Every structure is written in structure tokens, then in C-alpha cells.
Amino acid sequence: MADAGAEAPHPPHGAIGGVVLRQRFGWRWLAAFAAAVAGSLLFVYATVVLVVRGVGVWGTNIPHVWGFDIINYAWWIGIANAASLMAAAFTVRRAPWRSALNRFAESVALFSVICAGLFPILHLGRPWLFHWVFPYPATFGVWPQFRSPLVWDFFTILTHLVVTASFWYVGLIPDLAHLRDRARGALARKVFGVLALGWRGSARHWRNHQRAYHTLAGLLVAMAVFMQSTVSTEFAVTLVPEWHQPRYPLYFVVSGLISGIGMVLVVALLARHFFELHGFITQRHLDVVSSLLIANAIVIAWSYAFEAFSSWYASKVELQSWLLRATGEFAWLYWGAVACAVLAPQVLWWRRMRRNVAALILVGLLVAVGIWLDRFMIVVGGLLGDYLPSAWEGYSPSVWEWPLLVGSIAVYGTLILLFLRFVPVIPVFEVHAGRRDEDGDEARDEDGDRSGEDDR
Amino acid sequence: MAQIFPPRSTTIARSILAGIVAAVLVAAVGGYVVTRSDWYWRVGKAEPQPVPFSHLLHAGDLGLDCRYCHTTVERSALAGIPPAQTCLGCHDGLPVGGAALGPLRTAFDTGEPFLWNRVHRVPDHALFHHGIHVSSGVGCATCHGPVEEMPRIAKAGTLSMSWCLDCHREVEPVGPPVTDGDGGLLHPLTDCSRCHR
Amino acid sequence: MTERDEDRPEATWRSLEALDGDAGALRWRDGEFPDLARATATGRRSLLKLMGASVALAGTAGCERLPAEAPADPIVSRAGATPGHVPGEPLFFATSLPLEGYGRGVLVESHEGRPTKIEGNPLHPASLGATDAFAQAAILSLYAPDRLRAALRRGGGRRRLDGTLAQLAAEFAADGGAGLRLLTGPVSSPSLTAGIASLLDRLPEARWLQWSPVGDGNRLDGAALAFGERLETRLDLARASVIVAIDDDPLGPGPNQVANGAGFIAGRRDPARFSRLWVFEACPSLTGARADRRFPVSPRAVPAIARAVAAALGVVPPADDGVELPPGLVEDLRRAGPAAVVTAGRRAPPEVHALVHAVNLALGAVGTTVHHTRPVLAGAPSGVAALAALAAEIDAGAVSRLVVIDANPAYDAPADLDLARRIRRVPFSLCLASRLDETAAECLWTLPLAHPLESWGDLRAPNGTVGLMQPALAPPAGTMTALELVARLAGSEAPARELVRGYWEQAFPPGEFEAAWLRTLHDGVVEGTAFEEIPVRLAPGWEVPPPVPAQGEGLTVLFAPDPSVWDGQFADNAWLQELPKPLTKLVWDNAILIAPATAARLGLANGDGAVLELHGRALEAPVWLLPGHAPDCVTLPLGYGHRRGDVARGLGFDAYSVRRSEAPWVDGGAVLQPSGRRHLLATTQDHGTMVGRDLVRSVPLARLAAMAALGGEAGGEAAGEEAGEETEVAGEDLPSIYPEYDYSGPAWGMAVDLNACIGCNACVIACQVENNVPAVGKEEVARGREMHWLRIDRYWEGDPADPRIHFQPVLCMHCEKAPCEVVCPVNATVHDSEGLNVMVYNRCIGTRYCSNNCPYKVRRFNWFDYADEGGRPEVTANPDVTLRERGVMEKCTYCVQRIQKARIQAKLEDRPIADGEVVTACQQACPTRAFTFGDITDPASAVSRAKASPLNYGLLEELNTRPRTTYLARIDDPPAPEEAS
């Protein structure tokens, strides 16, 4: 019946719950899931090796003390921040069409922050002592050093995890109740029942829920920006020639944002394709996302330009260091980043491209890749041309670094697949509301109304 | 539709939530207390020793000076554990403690060193110097407690880092204090390099 | 692989201990060092782990043994007290270490009976309180993994040799030692010389010869030509105002490096009388690096240059061989007269040395800058000729017994003599060696040689002064010294101590021997044993025209001792293997050194394999491009390519395999072709130029006076200035957001005098030994993970064909505004109340963020558990310094343990710390006193005075890190423009 509903412009919202409640696992889902789990196991293995033998298993050295560990971290945290920023912004603006994308964004955010959170611990020389970063009254009477961005980072990640998780879950509660009511099996009913925390959909419930939901959203908007700039200080406060730059906070927010949006786009489109959600994720959504991508890409382009300029303007050392990045051993990273993160999104100026699912997915992935290359270029490229030429060294990732990247993506994939399968990918209650708004003539607010205009 | 849960399940849910919070608090407080307890640091616990040497008898009743056996305590990092020779110096002449001293005598005859079980253990990365403490007026008892009352030697303090710092923070540094820009004091006696190098 | 396996000693050898005592030995080992029992596991860098295991069986009598069932971490009551030993306080022994037979006086620091560090002996003329790199590393070779501990018989055997030594002595005596040949390394020891002499008296038929593959005999033979007798030549560079080195390297490694370096720098401290150094050489050397005027010339040109100099000074009639001496050289020599010195190196033929001796005599330099004394080394035949004669005798069957003492001819003899095969042909061969080296493998019997730090003996310094050797720890049972073996063969049973004592008993006036002996042992040197100078006159008809090197086709080949492993005798020492060679910065390898231009012509790049063919012999090896190397010739560093030795085997290539006895130093007609192979060469410095930054600053002598007048900054004349780099403002006046400190007590600082640094590496390895810095192995260095806290940056400046060469020791700057401190999340690196930037290992969680933020990149990280595998058994580590665990950062601490020691001592004596009381390891080892350390708040302290110099500048000071380690710019005397033309 979900299929039947998929054709209708406004299908019965049962279709979404149907995805979850239909108990058959498609073979595609199973195959993907198997692959993802296998990848996650690889991640576990690489981690075990790392902890048993030491960070020396990586290709890191002096001066390149950071490798994939921090590259991946910076990449994931960017996606996480961006996705939650996106979701929160939609919610705060009460954009009526947002409902289709919100939960994808929330989930992407939650799962990426989980992946991101692993790396700062794994990258330590003595990971089993990571709790020393946390201020607690230890018997040796020493406290953390609060001037260090790593301490700030520790807190941002923690906050992020908590807030995003609660945002995600709070948004989920009514739908869990919805599933509880529509579930057939007694077990399923019980499980969803517990998770729904006794939601009965009373007016009071709704009021509190909306209040909580929007408060969290408000929090997230502010924090996503704040947290992402915090990550950037990790580089900006140092005196490494290519890191010590004023553009960094903005640059990190924007570059993070584009990767997050790309990721959301990809996940949403895949879900739409496999679960026939065309009725929910419409062209207007794709257009909105596309324009966001383009806008970001332009700001990133500016950021690169500004970097080149400031390097030239700042000092000879900075310039040499920048040239080394743009023309040296790792030049392909630099230009790869430019091509993927700046140029690729530009194709979305063309309507045909925006309508072409394959193209959109490709752009989404390219952007994500581009930002990863960009992080690589920051972490490694920054130290290529340091102050003392005698200390210049190369860096090449070892066989124990790739599994961490592939593995973390697999972990992410596993979570996404579980999400697609066991949670309503689109907020049922929002669709309710959305439909009520659009059926009723009077719009709830001009803002929503204007954006409610369909540009088809 | 039929109710899935009985009415009391709400209460259960609430109490579970409360329980989680409580558990966290208990763990935190408990951890804080335990890691500072004498039990955790084995304060007052005597180790079994191959020879039942009694500080109560030697330092207490006989009133031997600590330095009679721990000869280098005033000038060296190590207080100095007396060689078997020193013990036998007296005990050869004395009828007391015959059989108990067996291991010592064999050690002396064979030239093999004689092993005691360590009671005061300082980690390798902390370098303690007896001489500088004694010469700075820190008496043996300050750290080792009333040894002359201990039949079997045991720790008198936790020997944890904060236990050391308790003194090092108190003591007035010699000369005018060193300040950092934030008005904070750099107390020379709490420099990491004083003990860790 | 199979070749490897059958190479392994245990495959072909059985030791007596292996047959009976082994199980016991192992239990005993586990008992003594419980923590070492597990060190025998193999795995990554198992090579280095192996060294850890080795201590187990190395000399251990120095400290108590714990029974196997020892409790973890017990307290030990010793059986009896040792007089004069305070538990926890180190003892120092004065002794001497041999190099090329000469002695270098040292003080051995010993903790609880374990040598942990070696310092120079201020009373010793070849040390003056400093050491060279080799001496510092001696601690580790004491624990070489493959040291012999029992008599071995080729192919295994059950006879206990101690019994047979007496029989041997009898056998020898029976026929007057017919067919007996005694082959030793170079010998300067009076007691050993006497011992051998008495042995030879007993065995009139026997013959003695000395062999060193890198001996300096040509110099003495030159004297024989010029003055009619073989004489020692010693330079006094302190008194020289003009120095001309013709393919010589007085500042380079060698028995007299420390004294030469100190003298040379003494002659350049005062700008008023600043010596000028001219160097003609093919391969850049430490001397060449400090030259004011350096000329890369092929070794073929050396005789002609020497002759031209002699001719220009009228010593010999001019010859029209078209040699053009650089302008100003001859004038300089004439002007300096007695204060001038010309010197030629070990590669130069005797005729050239004869010319040089004559020139010095003509200049009046003899007696001021050049001193001739009677030879320090024993008079027995030595050098290639003697060895060739031995080979001939063996072929003739005239040698029935061969005794080799502390020499390795099977490895380091010229290839055409092929002694490996010949020694095997000798019916009876006996070898006294510290490990199963190539020669020991060929000899019928091998006896374990005691390490110099375990030996009684005596050695002469280059000026003849005798330094006594006394053991810092008892040798392992079964090992013996050369002196002992010689005595045994002469039928005496006396232990080494008695032999040495016995010899010196006659030397002292009868009554006061005991007192004198004790004093001598304490001082380490025997008073009044320096040789007095011998007046020389040219012998009639002295001048022999130098042999004109055959103008063969192809490349010229030079052989040179390696700066890290010398002639190969140090190849088993991981510290020296990992010591970056001063100019190439290579570690764990040697390479064919070649000029960039020549390499380009042959289509070779760094690390490319090449086949070198030399008169029918060939070898395959990587090439390394060395700026400043003369074109069309290549340098082959000796000492690598060992076929034996757990550490040394398989490293680098064996240059001896193409060395010919008729041309042991310089050979012609070589062909070099790319082999197509690539070699992994590990270097500690990938990038050799300053890319136009003023990192090493230097000031031309001419400008110095003006600058001093201005009281200005050295920065004005930056080394990088040619590249147009402007010096930026010093830090002090820039604002900083970092906290300000005001220091009441001492605040430590250091000044490094680049003008005094000769790049000898002594500081690097001294720091390593003092601070328990592990060696990490070739693969790790190749990954950029070397652990040295103190490195010497080497920069090329200018034309790759003839660049200026700069050395710059770089250690932690202990920045007043330290960038590393603010980024550490856990307060593991912090400022202390005396301004040190202290690194707290046990607090570090290994984020490595501090290293990112260190502009000097002086921080080192324990990527693996190096301390466990780093080639230094834990029991031999400096107990005052924590061993760093895996995953923590470390760096130079200004030897904080020495600061604390001084502070405690001062406190115990209730007095302030005196200036110069704290001496860092690098400072103490430095032959030229390039380091000054002390309290920078005390304006009178040596370091404050040094920093007051106009030459003082901070590295990267424009970053406002306010480094406490600052540099004194190098003073140079470059050719004035008109000369340069």
C-alpha cells in the first residue's frame, strides 16, 4: 500500500511508518548492511592494532605528528555541525517544506558526531588517559590547561553529542508513539511503547514537545556555529604558517556546512529512491539544497582566494609555505579540494542538473570528498613548509590509517542503514502538520507561505 | 486499542530515570572518597618481612638514632638500607634474636644481598631526595610517622602526589616569590621539575 | 638468506658454555635483571631488542645479583658496605680509551657499579675535559649483543683453552717461536710494548707487526724522508695564524680531534688574531666546513699543490707543471712565517709529507705550530707493506702460527691480500677479539677480549703522555686483555693489574710508589711522560719527487674512514650507527659520495644504486650527492658491509672489497654506472638550504670591528642575506599575550657559539647518553622519527659545486614565551620558576599538539616503546632521568637533572649555586666549548656576558618566542672580492 501511496501528490503518511513496519528486509538493504558491518569490524581491528602497538603504526612523524586521525576528525565534525545547523535552522524558521529533510539532517548530524568523537581519543599516544582532559579532582592535584583548544574541543564534542542526540530523540517521540499504535507484533508494540515514553498526543504533550523541540533547535543553531569555530581554533591559535590565519573560523563553518549538506542530500536521495518517498522529498527540496550548495561553494572559493592573498601579504615564510602546498608534493590535494568543493557544485546552476538525481548524488559525494581533501591539505599541508627547512619531512599514510577512514565511513553507513530501517525517516507528525497547513487556505505565517510557493 | 502497559509503568519509568542519576552521583562521590582513603593507599599496612625486624624495639626501646642504620639519609637521595654487616655488628656480640637472624647471617656469609619487601614505594618518574628534605628541616617522622612505635614498619601517609604537594604548597619558598603575569605565583617548590625529570 | 643462515655464528660454532653452563647462565641472568628476561623476544626492530637482551650476559660483576625469586621492586641490603661508596651517588673513575692505538683520557661515571656516562678528563692532553663522539658511545659497545664471553674453537670443540694457553706458551718456547707471527692493532701502550718485547726475547724466531686500515703512517714515513728518522708530528693550531690543509682533516674524527678542535677555535676566538684556514680537499670534511677559503680539488692534484707551495717558498726548485696556486696563499704563508702551518693528510704519500715537513721547517713553524717528537706508536712494522709481507710469508708457508690481537685484517685488509682465505690456511691461528668478527671466524681459536672499560692498561696520548686504564667494572669471567694474553704466551700467569703495576713500579722512584700510583690512578695520567720535542734538520738528498699519479681513464676513488663507525670497529654500536654523519646526515649506512655535477652527468640521484668497477673488482652501492665534492672523483667511506656481527652485518657496502694494497687511499680508473636499483637511505635532514631565511648568521671578519663599535645586532649580515632576506626586529620589544614572569632566583639560559662549532657530533651523542635517549633503528629514522634531543642542522649556501657549509646545533630553546605550553591540554609541558620549559612525561597523554606549535621542531615523540627496544639495557640507563614510556612527548630539558643535583648540593652546603656549577651534557662534551650555560639573571655570569655580545641573536626571534637558547653568529674570513677573482 506504500507503493500505491507513493504515486499520490500527498500520500497518506502511513507510507513512512510503513517503511519501518513492513517487516521484510530488501536484499539491497541486507547487502549494504552486511558490507557496512564488515567495514565497521575493520575499523575495530585497526583500532585494536593501534592501541596494542602504538600510534607508531601510522605514517606520522616529526613534524607531521597528525595524520588521518585529525583529518578524519575535522571532516566528520564538520559534517556533524553542518547537518545539525541545517536541521535546526529549518526548524527555527518553521519552513513548512522542511519536514522532509529534517530528520535526515538530524540523523546525519548524530551519526557523524559519533564517528568524529572517536578520533580525538584514538589519536592520543596514551588513549587510556584521555579522561585527564576532563577537569575532575584527581589525587595528583593537577588540572587541565584551559588555554588549550583541545580542552575546548573536548567540551564541544561532548555538548554536541548530548544536544544533537536529544534533538533527534525528542523529534522522534511522537513518531515512535505513532509506530507503537500501528505496530502489529506485541514485542514491537512494547519496544516502541517504551521508547515513546508514554506519548499520548494530548494537547499538553504537543505543547511541551514543540517547546522542547524548538528550544533545542534554537540552541543548536547557535552551538553548531560556535562548535565549528572552536574546532578551527585548534589550528588557528598555533603559529604554524598556514594555520595561523584569521579566516579559519568562518572557513571551517562554511566548508563544514557544504560537506554536511552534501551528505544530507545523498542520504535523502538514496532513501527517496529505495523507499519510494518521491511524494515527500520533492523537487523544491532539491532546489533549496542545491542553492545552499552553490552559495557555500562561492564562500569557500572566496576563502581560498583570501588565503592565497593573506599568505602573500603576511610574510615570506607564509608565502613559501602556501606555494609548497599549491605546487609541491601535495598539490593534488589542494587542487582536488578546489575542484570538488568549489567547482563541482557550480553545475547546479543548471536546472537540468538539479533535476538529475545521479548528478545531484555525484555532486553531494564530490563535495564530501573535496572537504576531506581540504582537511588533509590543512593538517598535512600546513606543516610542509614550516620555519626551519632542516625539519621539513614528508608524510605518507600507512596501511593502518586507511582502515580508520574506510571503517569510520562504514560505522556511519551502518547507523544510517539502521536508521532508514527502524525509524521513520520523515517525521510523521510534521507531515500531518504540513498537510494541515497546505490544505487550509490561511497560511500560518507569511514566511512559511512565501516559501510555500511551489516554483514548478 | 488495548493498553500495552499497566498504569504503574509510568512510576517505574520515572524511578529508573531517577535511579540512573543517583547511580552517577554515587559513583562520583564514592570514587572521590575511596581514592583518598588509607585503605586504597595501604596506609598502616605492614608487609611480611623475611626477618621480623622491629623499629619499636630498635628505635623505640633501645633508642637508636635513625642515622645509625640509615647512614646516608643526610647527604644522599637514598637513606641507605643497612648492610647485613651492620646488623651483625651488634648481633654477633649479642645472644638475642638467634634463629630469626638466620637469613641475614647466610647473606653475610655468602655475600648475597638480602632482600626486604618495600613498604614506601615511590614511582620511577618521581625522584625523591632524602638529603635535601632532612637538611631542610623535614624530620623523618614527618613522612614516616612514629616509626619508633611500629613493631612492623608501615606507611604513615598515602604517598600520593597531592600528599607531597600538601607540604610543598605550604612551605614558604626561599627568596621573593616568582609571579606570572596573571598575578599567580610560581611556587618554586611546586615546579614539576623538582620531582619529575 | 641461506648464506645468511650459515653465516650465523651458532650454526657453525659451539662455545663451551653452550655445552654445559648455559642453562645456569640464563637463570642467573633472569635473576639479576628480571626486567631483561623478556627482552629476547623478536619482532619489529628485533635487532635493537637484541641489544637489550645482551646486557644479560655482559659484564655484570659490578653490581649485586638478585636471586631468581626476588620480589618485584625489593629493597636490598648488601652483604657488606663498600668503603667510599654512598648509595645513590655516582663514582667517577679516570681511565683511557684507545683509538688507532692512541689514548684519550676519560672519566667514567658509574652508578652502583654500572658505567652510565663518559666525560673527558681535564688532566689529559688529548681530552682537556672534552670527548669525541666515539668515546661517548663506548658505554654501549660494552653491552654489544654479540660480545664473546667464552673461548671458541672453529667448528666447535670441547677443549678448555685456559689449559692450553700454558701449553701453547711451552710449545712456542720449545722452538723459539719459529713461524709465529703476532699481528696487533696499533700499540702505544708502554706496558704492552714491553710485554711483547719480552715475549719476542723469549721467542727470537717470532715477528710482530701492527695493522690499522686507516693508519697515519705516511706522515711518519714523510718525516723519515725529510729528517732521516720516523717522527711524530703534532699540530698546535692555537698558535697558528695561517693554516693550510692539503687533503687533511685535523678537525675531523681521529685520536687528536679534541685537541686540534680546541686549538683551532682558540686561534679564532679573538677577532684581533683570527687564524685563516685554507683547505684543498676532494671530499668535504669538518675542516673544509670551517675553511675560509676552500678549494675542491681531485686527490690527483694534491702532490702537485704541495710541490707548488714548497716551490713558491723556495724549498724546492720550481717545476713547470702548470699548477696555479690561489692568489694570496703564498703571501699569507710568508707573512705568518713561524705562525703558519701546512699539513697533509693520511691519504697523501710520504713524499708529499716530506715536502710539507720541509715547508714547515722553512717557515720556522717547527717548534711553534708544529711539534716533532719520537713516534708514539710502537716501532714494529706497520701499514699495508707489512701486511702484504705477511701475506707473502703465508703463501710461502713460512707462517705456522698466527696470533691476532684486537685487529680484523680478514675484514679490513686490502682486497688483493685476501687475508680471510690466507689466515684459514695457517695451521694454528689464535685471535683475541671482542666479538666473532670476520677474522675471529677464520681463526682456529678465538678468545674473548675485555672491553677497555673493563681493562687494566696504559695508553699514550698523541703527545706521548701516558694515561692509565683502570676497569670501571669487572670483566666477565673468561675475557682477557691484550696485555694478559701476551703475558700468558710468555708463560706468566699474572693478572693484568699486576702486569701494569709491575711495569710502572720501575718507572717511579722506589720509596714513594704506592702514593704516586694512587695519585696516578686518581688523575688518570702519569706525570711527566710527555715526549720532549726533537730538533730536526733536513736530511741530505731528502727530496724525492712525489709519484705522479697514473693518468688513468675514468673516475678517481678516495677511501675515507667513516665519521660514525671509523674503520668499522664501531659498526656494532647502535648509537654511532644512528649518529647522523656531519655532512651527509646519513644514518645506518654508507654511500658512494659524489659531486652533484658528476652525478648528473652519470644520471644518478640520491639513493640510486650504482655499480663501481675498480681494476677488476666491483661493488654495488647507493650514491649520495655531496655538494662541495670535487668533480670526477668519488669517496668510498670505509667501515660498513660487515659479514659478521648482529648489529653491523648487512649494513652499507664494504669499500675494502675494492681497495688495493698498491693504492690503498687514492685509486684511479674507476667506472661508475647506474645499476637501476633503488636503495633506502635514512637521513635526518631532507632539506639542505636555508631557502633565504637568516637561520645561521655569519659576520665577515672585516665587518666585525665596525659592528662592535655600533654595538648592533649580528642580524645585519645574515647568512641568508644574499637571498635578500631582511632581518626582522628582535622579540623583546614586541608585545605578547603570554604571561610575563619575573625571576628572583636563577633563570637558566644558553648561548651557542656558531663560531666555535666544528660539527663534530660529540654533543649529540653526549645528550643521548646522558638523557637515556633511545636509538630507534633505520626504518624509524627513515620515517622521520629520530629521537635525538640535540641535532646539528647542516646548511649548504651558494654554489652546489663549492658551497659554504654551516653547522647549527639545535636544541630546545626553552622559550620565555613558549608556544608549546599554551596548547597542551593537560599541563604536561609548563614553565617553571627558573624559566625552564619543563616536559612532564608522566602527565603527557600524547596529543602531540606541542610539537605542532614548536617552530623549532625540537620535540620528539615515543611512537613505539623505544625505551624498551632502544638498544640500551635499562640497568645501564642514567638513573637520574626517567625512561619515557610509549606515547609520550620528550625534548631537551637543559639537563634538568644536573640543575637539580647542583641545587641540592648547594642547599646541602648552604650556599647559592655558583656560575658554571651546572654543566649540561652537550656543554661538557664539546671540544671547542661552543656551549655556555648559566643564570641569565646574573649579569656577571658567563652566559650573560656571552649574550651581551653583538653577535648574539635568537633563532626565529621574529616569532617573539624569546628563546633562552641564543646563538653567537659565526665569524668568517671570506676572500675579498679582488682575491676571489
Side-chain angles (χ1 to χ4, degrees), chain A residues 435-455:
Chain A
R435 284 183 57 195
R436 255 188 266 103
D437 293 349
E438 291 175 25
D439 296 349
D441 279 342
E442 89 289 356
R444 197 194 297 125
D445 60 303
E446 296 79 349
D447 199 8
D449 190 21
R450 219 176 294 108
S451 56
E453 226 80 69
D454 209 342
D455 60 354

Side-chain angles (χ1 to χ4, degrees), chain C residues 235-449:
Chain C
L235 306 178
D236 182 353
L237 298 179
R239 300 171 68 181
S241 65
V242 172
I243 305 163
V244 179
I246 303 172
D247 192 22
D248 192 12
D249 186 15
L251 303 184
N256 214 23
Q257 178 184 27
V258 173
N260 286 342
F264 173 70
I265 294 305
R268 286 169 79 98
R269 278 240 159 75
D270 172 11
R273 40 174 302 278
F274 192 88
S275 68
R276 179 179 290 174
L277 175 58
W278 301 71
V279 173
F280 300 84
E281 65 182 0
C283 181
S285 67
L286 291 183
T287 311
R290 288 311 309 266
D292 303 298
R293 292 148 171 68
R294 180 177 176 275
F295 306 92
V297 297
S298 161
R300 294 171 171 284
V302 163
I305 291 170
R307 201 177 185 298
V309 172
L313 293 168
V315 177
V316 292
D320 51 359
D321 45 14
V323 177
E324 186 73 13
L325 285 178
L329 172 60
V330 180
E331 295 74 354
D332 259 9
L333 286 172
R334 284 226 183 77
R335 201 180 313 117
V341 56
V342 181
T343 174
R346 53 169 59 80
R347 270 187 293 265
E351 297 78 4
V352 169
H353 280 284
L355 281 167
V356 167
H357 290 314
V359 166
N360 285 329
L361 193 58
L363 287 166
V366 175
T368 57
T369 59
V370 181
H371 303 284
H372 294 296
T373 64
R374 54 176 249 250
V376 168
L377 298 181
S382 62
V384 177
L387 206 60
L390 175 67
E393 283 187 310
I394 294 177
D395 291 346
V399 181
S400 56
R401 303 162 177 146
L402 179 64
V403 175
V404 183
I405 295 179
D406 196 13
N408 191 2
Y411 163 71
D412 57 23
D416 55 336
L417 299 184
D418 191 7
L419 277 184
R421 193 169 45 77
R422 289 192 161 89
I423 290 176
R424 205 175 255 272
R425 287 227 308 274
V426 175
F428 176 90
S429 52
L430 171 67
C431 166
L432 182 65
S434 58
R435 60 188 189 282
L436 189 71
D437 57 25
E438 291 79 358
T439 305
E442 303 301 337
C443 289
L444 180 64
W445 277 106
T446 303
L447 302 182
L449 172 67

